Amino acid sequence: MSGALLEARGLALAFGGVRAADGVDLEVAPGEILAIIGPNGAGKTTFLNMVTGYLRPQAGSIRFAGREIAGLPPRRIVRLGIARSFQIPQLFAEHRVIENVALHLAARDGFWAPFRPLLSPARRSEALAILDDLELAPLAEARADTLDEGARKLVDIAMALALRPRLLLMDEPTSGVAASEKHAIMDRLVAALRRASVTAVFVEHDMEVVARHADRVAVWSQGRIRAEGPPEAVLADPLVRREVIGVEGAPC
Amino acid sequence: MRRLLPVAAAVGLLLLLAGLQPWLRFVLTIALSTGLAVLGIAMLLRAGQVSFGHALYVAAGAYAVAFARPHTGEGLLLLLLAGLVATGLGLLVGLFVTRYRDIFFGMLNLAFSMVGWSLLEKLYGLTRGTDGIRVARPTLLGFALEGAAWEWALFSAALAAALLAGALVASYLRSPAGEALGAIKTRETRLEFAGISARRVLLQAYVVSATLAGLGGAIGALATLHVTPLLAYWTHSGELVFVAILGGTGNVLGPFLGAVVFELVRVHAAAAFPDAWQMILGLVLLAIVLAAARGLVGLLDDLAVRLGWRG
Amino acid sequence: MGLLFLLAALDGLAYAAQVFLVAVGLTLVFGVLKILNVAHGSLFAIGAYLASTLVGLVGVPWLSLLALAMAALAVGVVLGPVIERGLLARIYEKEHVLQLLVTFALLMILEDVQKLVWGVQPLFEDAPVRLLGQVEVGGIVYTVYQLLLLPGVALLVLVVLAWFLRRTLLGRTIVAVTHDREAAEAIGIDSRRVYLLTFTIGAALAAMGGALAAPTTSLVPGIGVQTIVLSFAVVATAGLGRIEGAAATALLIGLGRSFAVYFTPELEVVVPYLLMVAVLLVRPAGLFGSTELRRV
Ligand SMILES: Nc1ncnc2c1ncn2[C@@H]1O[C@H](COP(=O)(O)OP(=O)(O)OP(=O)(O)O)[C@@H](O)[C@H]1O
Ligand SMILES: [Mg+2]
């Protein structure tokens, strides 16, 4: 199908004997928000790593907006419009939160202007606006290595958002975020994504979050996609419930 | 404005000292030239990288002056030339060493500098080996100067170069590419995921650091009017690193402060303990590094806070 | 021409043997401690100077080989633990740049210790070489010391080290710590002792390289640094932490250098580094090394 923004075909990657990707086929339509679920070690992160160029698939193809990107280095892929956040936040620990975001804003334009400050007034306010979307504005001046896990995850997402991507990949965006804040933050994040019509893929273990925010769900297991479809249908599938979610019986 | 206050104080103090004694004028000129090279080392330290071979670029600048002097009599032209030569060499070596980090970065720089040192020693026909090359005193801006006038002129040129370099580097370090140096230290991969080449960030700083070292070497050559292969020797690279740590890397004043203290102490101490000078440097370096101290700049900063000058 | 070729090959072999002894210690220590000891070359230098002194003191030619071994052992068991416990143990958890600065400071200190103890005049003591005499190979009269003893010791060290690391409990313990310190500690291995032991072995190997080199060259200040730079070139070309690789690479670089000595003398100092740069340009992790991707 040519209407897809992202189109993966037959992706395979093994680490020694472990098949982290074993024939992955997936399409993501423009504007949709897709959740990836699956047990630990299923290959979810590996999929994101292949799409973003961190790992090179041993077989298969990845097309983004019709263009083959498998095997390109991360830097090139980012420039095509794919940004990501990480399961383990990857922050510049000795910089302040606002600088972490501003470096990503600068990465889009003006990075090499040698005598313009990173925190120009324009960049500062743009960074603050992004932080505000994730309710992080009060932390703007804090050093990244002083944050708690939940805040680090969200700053990591803010950095990816600052790149203004067409496609945003998020690896467990709310793990580590306090349960009481999870939904509020996801509401704001998803609203911001829809407003900017950013296509998004997120890996998630919390089925409530999936049910509430995803347009579609793909179920990963042992390097393959086992099921795919609207959340209500997929999450109700007894097989998925038993093998992936680890719950017996009917949905509550 | 508050940022400029320490700079003005430092310049005033230097001028005062330079006026006090002729030998101080000479030592301070050398100190400023060392400070330029150390400023480059400090930039690399921001990226968590330490070069044990930057004396190579100091020597490149100094020998450029020595080789070009027979062909031109103008000192400023010689400085410009030296800067260009060091920049070119820095780019060439930098294209290779910036592929590496940490141990490899430090040691590859050391290796290149030792190759440079050997060549300077061995290619006698070109470099006159360990004897080195004498440099005839050039003119400055067309003026042929002698004695105190020459010393003042060269000192002023060194001071001007230091101020200019300090200002430019300070502003560079606040720019995105300058801030990204710190990002190389903490999480280099994330830079790549921002679409930025970490290697290019480091290469840029590396080339600038080579230019600064070459300029420092050239000013040193004009002050001593003699260049030898020892300029490229590892002990000299070690001194540059030492001064960077001594001065502190948090502020562009650090390298110059460190260099002035270092050269003033060396005048006396190196003569008193010629065979133990490296050892003393090593012990002080260990003490600073293990105590996680922020160097002289850090000390002054703490003092300023204690005196209530700064919050 | 043919003779020159043979001579270059023999020189290269002897030189490679000596370089290997230092490089293998450097790479072993790095593999376990994850610290590159910039002062490793100083241990070589001190081993060399001490060996010369001991050989001179002993006076009896047939005891001179023993004196060499004693020098290596002394440096290993005295300086090794002092440096590891006193200095390195404080910095294992620190940033790389700090670790480099600390061992570099140690290099500065040891360089002057050596000058204070042994002075700056060249020192030459070749009793061990004279003791073993000379033989003729292919029309060339060559010293037995360089022809057989140096390569023999290097080969012995390689074999013993490989056997020790693969077949003995202690050796396997070291390997376990190299691969995964936390996992090794979880099964009750005391990594502090492993670090101490490994560093002592590494220091002794450096000193042995120095002691064996001493009778073939005159000792001057600065050999320590030249040694660390050259052995780093070997270790980097091989791939950090690779022991057999270090042997092969020492041979390559040793031969490369000695052929340069005979055929393009002005390039002698450059050749080892040209080889290194050429290899690293094609294989950034070295001939036998591999890069590991950090998981994100
Ligand atoms: N760089 C690597 N080297 C070796 N094995 C790896 C690497 N990355 C992943 N693996 C293995 O591949 C498999 C899939 O890992 P992956 O991280 O993709 O799982 P995941 O679905 O993201 O799991 P989780 O929910 O725990 O994050 C696992 O068995 C993992 O151990
Ligand atoms: Mg994962």
Side-chain angles (χ1 to χ4, degrees):
Chain A
M1 192 172 80
S2 55
L5 181 62
L6 183 76
E7 186 179 351
R9 286 269 165 266
L11 288 185
L13 179 59
F15 298 105
V18 181
R19 294 200 181 150
D22 189 13
V24 174
D25 297 304
L26 184 70
E27 284 176 12
V28 183
E32 89 171 317
I33 294 186
L34 171 83
I36 294 178
I37 63 173
N40 291 126
K44 306 180 294 295
T45 299
T46 300
F47 175 71
L48 300 192
N49 280 339
M50 290 187 295
V51 173
T52 54
Y54 195 63
L55 295 172
R56 179 192 283 267
Q58 287 155 346
S61 85
I62 307 169
R63 299 177 80 78
F64 177 66
R67 186 178 160 175
E68 182 64 44
I69 59 167
L72 289 182
R75 211 188 315 146
R76 298 274 309 280
I77 292 177
V78 172
R79 299 214 155 265
L80 294 175
I82 303 182
R84 77 177 281 191
S85 71
F86 294 80
Q87 187 167 354
I88 310 158
Q90 306 282 312
L91 310 186
F92 305 132
E94 295 180 2
H95 283 92
R96 288 175 289 152
V97 166
I98 191 162
E99 290 165 337
N100 271 273
V101 176
L103 272 166
H104 282 69
L105 289 172
R108 287 179 307 154
D109 52 64
F111 194 87
W112 302 105
F115 303 116
R116 297 264 184 74
L118 170 66
L119 287 178
S120 64
R123 228 179 251 139
R124 178 181 280 280
S125 58
E126 200 180 345
L128 280 172
I130 293 172
L131 288 171
D132 196 42
D133 269 342
L134 296 170
E135 299 182 352
L136 288 169
L139 293 176
E141 300 298 326
R143 242 175 75 136
D145 54 3
T146 63
L147 306 180
D148 63 33
E149 175 68 11
R152 293 225 305 272
K153 291 289 297 227
L154 296 176
V155 171
D156 193 295
I157 295 171
M159 289 157 79
L161 279 173
L163 295 170
R164 301 266 181 250
R166 289 173 71 188
L167 172 65
L168 177 64
L169 309 174
M170 293 176 283
D171 204 345
E172 306 190 12
T174 62
S175 71
V177 177
S180 55
E181 297 166 19
K182 236 180 203 179
H183 286 297
I185 286 184
M186 275 306 278
D187 285 346
R188 294 194 68 151
L189 174 61
V190 169
L193 292 176
R194 300 232 191 253
R195 232 182 300 133
S197 51
V198 176
T199 310
V201 174
F202 68 105
V203 176
E204 185 57 68
H205 283 296
D206 185 327
M207 293 308 138
E208 262 183 65
V209 171
V210 172
R212 182 157 156 174
H213 296 291
D215 300 325
R216 203 155 61 91
V217 182
V219 183
W220 243 255
S221 163
Q222 297 186 347
R224 285 167 177 271
I225 297 176
R226 298 291 156 158
E228 218 181 312
E232 320 80 59
V234 171
L235 296 180
D237 180 340
L239 190 79
V240 170
R241 293 187 61 78
R242 194 169 59 245
E243 302 221 327
V244 178
I245 313 176
V247 193
E248 299 278 351
C252 34
Chain B
M1 209 54 234
R2 292 195 76 174
R3 277 217 310 272
L4 288 183
L5 210 65
V7 177
V11 169
L13 190 66
L14 282 181
L15 285 171
L16 191 74
L17 283 175
L20 230 50
Q21 293 269 334
W23 68 266
L24 271 175
R25 228 153 26 232
F26 173 77
V27 171
L28 291 178
T29 306
I30 295 289
L32 288 168
S33 75
T34 305
L36 282 171
V38 173
L39 184 58
I41 304 263
M43 289 174 73
L44 298 175
L45 279 169
R46 290 227 169 183
Q49 308 303 315
V50 53
S51 162
F52 293 128
H54 257 51
L56 177 66
Y57 303 112
V58 175
Y63 272 86
V65 167
F67 285 135
R69 177 64 188 86
H71 308 289
T72 169
E74 174 49 44
L76 293 186
L77 192 60
L78 290 173
L79 291 185
L80 185 70
L81 221 67
L84 285 177
V85 167
T87 307
L89 185 62
L91 181 61
L92 196 70
V93 175
L95 279 171
F96 180 69
V97 297
T98 55
R99 292 156 65 110
Y100 295 93
R101 302 288 177 271
D102 303 334
I103 293 170
F104 269 74
F105 183 84
M107 295 303 291
L108 288 175
N109 273 294
L110 177 61
F112 277 108
S113 74
M114 289 303 278
V115 168
W117 168 75
S118 306
L119 289 178
L120 289 178
E121 276 216 325
K122 298 236 157 144
L123 301 179
Y124 189 88
L126 203 61
T127 64
R128 309 233 191 94
T130 46
D131 299 344
I133 305 174
R134 297 216 154 274
V135 181
R137 182 179 301 162
T139 58
L140 278 181
L141 284 174
F143 295 103
L145 302 169
E146 294 287 331
W150 160 259
E151 285 170 18
W152 272 113
L154 190 61
F155 171 76
S156 311
L159 189 57
L163 284 171
L164 186 66
L168 291 180
V169 169
S171 145
Y172 176 72
L173 289 175
R174 278 193 299 274
S175 80
E179 290 285 356
L181 287 170
I184 289 182
K185 179 176 170 192
T186 49
R187 192 70 359 140
E188 176 169 344
T189 21
R190 187 64 191 254
L191 271 185
E192 298 284 327
F193 281 103
I196 298 301
S197 159
R199 192 180 155 201
R200 182 165 162 200
V201 171
L202 189 57
L203 179 62
Q204 213 173 58
Y206 189 87
V207 172
V208 172
S209 74
T211 310
L212 290 170
L215 223 60
I219 292 175
L222 291 185
T224 56
L225 298 176
H226 186 207
V227 302
T228 71
L230 273 184
L231 286 170
Y233 199 51
W234 72 272
T235 52
H236 189 208
S237 294
E239 283 174 5
L240 298 178
V241 172
F242 173 85
V243 175
I245 303 293
L246 176 73
T249 54
N251 182 314
V252 292
L253 275 181
F256 296 102
L257 185 60
V260 168
V261 171
F262 175 78
E263 296 293 350
L264 284 177
V265 172
R266 169 153 72 179
V267 173
H268 301 287
F273 322 96
D275 286 340
W277 178 236
Q278 291 292 323
M279 178 154 76
I280 295 168
L281 296 187
L283 288 170
V284 175
L285 181 57
L286 267 189
I288 300 177
V289 168
L290 289 180
R294 291 176 302 136
L296 295 173
V297 167
L299 279 183
L300 288 184
D301 223 32
D302 294 346
L303 194 71
V305 170
R306 192 161 308 167
L307 293 177
W309 294 349
R310 190 180 294 185
Chain C
M1 189 68 191
L3 280 186
L4 217 52
F5 207 79
L6 180 61
L7 200 58
L10 293 179
D11 276 5
L13 187 66
Y15 187 67
Q18 185 187 306
V19 170
F20 166 71
L21 287 174
V22 198
V24 77
L26 186 68
T27 214
L28 178 70
V29 168
F30 176 82
V32 178
L33 281 66
K34 302 289 181 276
I35 285 184
L36 187 97
N37 178 17
V38 182
H40 192 73
S42 308
L43 299 171
F44 168 95
I46 291 175
Y49 272 106
L50 186 62
S52 284
T53 306
L54 287 186
V55 168
L57 278 182
V58 167
V60 195
W62 56 270
L63 275 180
S64 63
L65 288 178
L66 195 66
L68 297 185
M70 292 310 299
L73 206 63
V75 171
V77 299
V78 175
L79 284 185
V82 168
I83 294 171
E84 199 278 334
R85 285 291 95 196
L87 208 52
L88 302 186
R90 297 165 195 274
I91 57 168
Y92 289 134
E93 307 298 330
K94 299 282 173 63
E95 299 168 18
H96 294 284
V97 58
L98 192 143
Q99 296 175 337
L100 272 172
L101 286 171
V102 164
T103 61
F104 189 81
L106 185 62
L107 163 72
M108 296 171 100
I109 294 168
L110 290 181
E111 184 75 10
D112 273 1
V113 166
Q114 167 205 318
K115 275 197 222 158
L116 288 173
V117 176
W118 285 284
V120 295
Q121 294 307 315
L123 192 65
F124 186 55
E125 176 58 76
D126 68 345
V129 174
R130 278 184 280 118
L131 171 72
L132 295 182
Q134 299 179 321
V135 286
E136 203 198 295
V137 258
I140 296 174
V141 179
Y142 211 73
T143 67
V144 174
Y145 187 89
Q146 282 169 294
L147 182 69
L148 296 179
L149 187 83
L150 287 183
V153 172
L155 199 63
L156 190 71
V157 165
L158 177 61
V159 170
V160 169
L161 210 54
W163 168 81
F164 171 70
L165 292 176
R166 292 204 176 83
R167 297 269 177 268
T168 66
L169 184 61
L170 197 55
R172 285 169 177 234
T173 311
I174 291 179
V175 173
V177 173
T178 309
H179 286 319
D180 190 342
R181 183 174 65 115
E182 273 155 29
E185 281 177 348
I187 57 167
I189 292 175
D190 179 358
S191 64
R192 284 174 34 128
R193 281 186 47 206
V194 170
Y195 284 12
L196 177 61
L197 178 76
T198 309
F199 191 80
T200 303
I201 296 176
L205 285 169
M208 190 197 290
L212 288 171
T216 66
T217 177
S218 57
L219 305 178
V220 288
I223 52 168
V225 169
Q226 280 170 17
T227 303
I228 182 64
V229 174
L230 188 73
S231 38
F232 176 76
V234 168
V235 164
T237 309
L240 266 178
R242 306 288 157 153
I243 288 174
E244 282 88 351
T249 311
L251 206 57
L252 176 77
I253 283 182
L255 288 173
R257 197 195 83 128
S258 78
F259 275 92
V261 169
Y262 286 100
F263 297 104
T264 53
E266 59 285 355
L267 285 186
E268 175 208 331
V269 283
V270 185
V271 163
Y273 306 103
L274 282 182
L275 285 173
M276 172 182 78
V277 170
V279 167
L280 291 183
L281 279 177
V282 184
R283 292 185 57 95
L287 287 173
F288 305 92
S290 56
T291 35
E292 251 176 60
L293 209 56
R294 200 168 49 82
R295 296 236 194 142
V296 293

